[in-house]
Amino acid sequence: MRVSGWLGCFVVAAVMLMMFFPMALFPQKSDHDTLLSGIASGKTRVLDLTYAINDKLVPWPGDKRWFEAQVNATVKKNGYFTRSFWMLEHYGTHLDAPIHFPPGKATVDQIPAKQFFGPAVVLDVSEEGAKDADYQAPASRVEQWERKNGRILEGSIVLLRTGWSSRWRDAQKYRNQDAQGKMHFPGFSAEAAKLLISRKVSGIGCDTLSVDYGASQDFAVHHLVLGAGLYQLENLADLSGLPEARAFLVVAPIKLEGGSGGAVRVFAIWQ
Ligand SMILES: [Zn+2]
């Protein structure tokens, strides 16, 4: 009896060691710890989804002035170099704050910082967009993504990849206006926007001038998405390198007090 008692103790101790010793030796690292620590080594990919700002980007039709920069000090004259600049809030790669369209309320500086970090959901509609410049991604396109990758997580940022960035250098092709001046490029449908709002995403974005399709007259997606307190990213740079799932986004807009939106720097990271 005594021997089997000792044996029992030994077995229990051995099992406990097996359970806990490996954890002490190899503390579990979360996926995101690995993602961040992999940046310096290059194991984590970093993609900048932002166009550099200058006076030659594609403005919204009708905008008369969009960007001006002037040199205020030069090294030769002053010993240092500075400039000042003026630009539209909605120019180049930019963020639309909820207050941009009613009934949205928050200005760009009031958006909670935690909404600027989230998993990237990439909806690729480049094939559909190439065939039909008035394509509006339906809710079923979102459901298709979910069937493949799982339900969209709360706090995700959903990007529509239309392939329109390949036209960015040619304003005429990018805006794609007809004889009446109406633009033609793909966008989200109102039904897709409603579904994404119900998934509690933080924001949506696109590689075109607007998250609404170009020919939209009522800007239904703007009203819905901004009205629900989400933000929008427009004129994102080339999204072709992004995986449909897996990437994580860092969205860093200018903290402009009272702003309806403004220039934004957007990074994607993934392994
Ligand atoms: Zn905008």
Side-chain angles (χ1 to χ4, degrees):
M1 291 300 287
R2 206 182 162 92
V3 172
S4 69
W6 276 107
L7 195 65
C9 280
F10 180 76
V11 170
V12 169
V15 167
M16 284 180 72
L17 265 176
M18 278 162 68
M19 278 170 69
F20 296 111
F21 193 61
M23 280 177 78
L25 257 188
F26 311 108
Q28 296 293 303
K29 272 192 152 190
S30 78
D31 283 355
H32 289 152
D33 283 347
T34 318
L35 196 60
L36 292 179
S37 61
I39 291 175
S41 68
K43 201 178 166 213
T44 296
R45 293 209 39 194
V46 179
L47 191 61
D48 187 346
L49 304 175
T50 320
Y51 291 122
I53 301 165
N54 60 45
D55 59 354
K56 294 179 185 61
L57 310 184
V58 185
W60 188 262
D63 285 341
K64 301 276 184 290
R65 274 173 88 202
W66 41 86
F67 176 86
E68 286 155 22
Q70 71 169 44
V71 173
N72 292 340
T74 62
V75 173
K76 201 173 167 196
K77 216 170 127 191
N78 311 87
Y80 56 89
F81 172 53
T82 63
R83 305 192 313 168
S84 58
F85 71 92
W86 175 96
M87 72 183 284
L88 295 172
E89 289 178 338
H90 300 261
Y91 179 65
T93 306
H94 69 274
L95 180 144
D96 290 355
I99 203 169
H100 182 40
F101 268 66
K105 296 274 191 293
T107 52
V108 66
D109 55 308
Q110 292 170 336
I111 301 171
K114 72 171 206 173
Q115 290 182 18
F116 295 132
F117 304 84
V121 169
V122 179
L123 305 176
D124 191 318
V125 298
S126 45
E127 257 180 53
E128 294 89 337
K131 279 186 221 138
D132 176 11
D134 294 325
Y135 180 77
Q136 298 177 67
S140 61
R141 186 62 194 78
V142 177
E143 288 158 355
Q144 193 187 327
W145 187 96
E146 288 191 323
R147 273 197 297 281
K148 205 167 144 194
N149 303 290
R151 194 178 162 97
I152 292 173
L153 295 173
E154 183 176 341
S156 292
I157 301 157
V158 183
L159 307 181
L160 193 67
R161 178 162 63 201
T162 70
W164 232 245
S165 58
S166 64
R167 300 166 175 242
W168 175 249
R169 304 230 163 255
D170 185 333
Q172 275 190 343
K173 276 178 133 184
Y174 192 73
R175 296 202 291 217
N176 201 27
Q177 286 169 286
D178 60 25
Q180 282 72 47
K182 197 185 272 184
M183 296 190 286
H184 298 276
F185 52 77
F188 288 91
S189 68
E191 287 63 38
K194 282 181 201 162
L195 179 57
L196 294 172
I197 292 165
S198 78
R199 294 288 188 267
K200 297 189 166 65
V201 303
S202 286
I204 66 170
C206 61
D207 54 1
T208 65
L209 267 172
S210 171
V211 291
D212 275 285
Y213 77 122
S216 173
Q217 300 294 297
D218 59 3
F219 300 102
V221 174
H222 274 72
H223 285 285
L224 283 166
V225 169
L226 301 177
L230 280 51
Y231 60 80
Q232 300 171 168
L233 305 168
E234 290 169 332
N235 293 324
L236 287 167
D238 188 7
L239 302 174
S240 63
L242 266 185
E244 283 197 337
R246 291 200 346 263
F248 194 86
L249 285 191
V250 179
V251 174
I254 185 169
K255 196 167 182 177
L256 190 59
E257 198 169 308
S260 70
V264 65
R265 197 84 187 253
V266 182
F267 301 103
I269 54 175
W270 77 94
Q271 287 186 343

